[in-house]
Amino acid sequence: VQLQASGGGPVQPGGSLRLSCAASGRTVSSLSMAWFRQAPGKDREFVAAVFRRGGATYYAESVKGRFTISRDNAEDTMYLQMNSLRPEDTALYYCAASSTLILSTIRDGRAYGSWGRGTQVTVSS
């Protein structure tokens, strides 16, 4: 599956952005999909995921209540709605997908076989 992420950009603290991840080659309903991010000098970290079976969602504690992950099966696109953005949310955001991962590994980047190119989010006044 090929993934194309978009929607990043500069935003002021407290603002909102919506990231998109378009999938081709597989329908998103057959995939577990996730967002990860990596800030300069830091390790890649899990942000949010949606499991392929049932569509259950999972979030990092740092974004819970502010970010919402969703998918549009008709458009084969996954989204990340980011509200109340903070400077510490600044990072390169990647989308990832897997058709085979098990639920216990959903926060582990190593469980995902397909990755899109990152989209930069910069939160600054």
Side-chain angles (χ1 to χ4, degrees):
V1 60
Q2 289 76 48
L3 304 173
Q4 179 67 50
S6 61
V11 62
Q12 292 189 339
S16 299
L17 280 176
R18 189 178 77 158
L19 305 184
S20 300
C21 178
S24 59
R26 292 288 295 263
T27 58
V28 297
S29 60
S30 69
L31 299 167
S32 293
M33 300 184 74
W35 291 96
F36 290 81
R37 66 187 182 187
Q38 187 166 21
K42 295 188 176 181
D43 293 334
R44 181 180 65 195
E45 65 173 352
F46 169 79
V47 176
V50 53
F51 191 55
R52 67 185 186 278
R53 293 176 184 165
T57 56
Y58 303 86
Y59 296 92
E61 285 299 318
S62 60
V63 307
K64 198 174 291 185
R66 301 187 297 124
F67 291 10
T68 302
I69 190 171
S70 63
R71 62 185 181 188
D72 185 328
N73 294 339
E75 297 293 328
D76 279 326
T77 301
M78 174 182 66
Y79 300 98
L80 185 69
Q81 178 65 44
M82 305 186 294
N83 298 329
S84 302
L85 283 160
R86 304 167 180 169
E88 55 264 39
D89 294 317
T90 295
L92 194 58
Y93 283 70
Y94 297 91
C95 60
S98 171
S99 60
T100 60
L101 68 75
I102 58 176
L103 185 55
S104 60
T105 65
I106 200 165
R107 290 179 171 84
D108 187 345
R110 296 170 297 178
Y112 294 83
S114 298
W115 291 81
R117 298 178 71 175
T119 185
Q120 178 68 38
V121 173
T122 303
V123 186
S124 173
S125 56

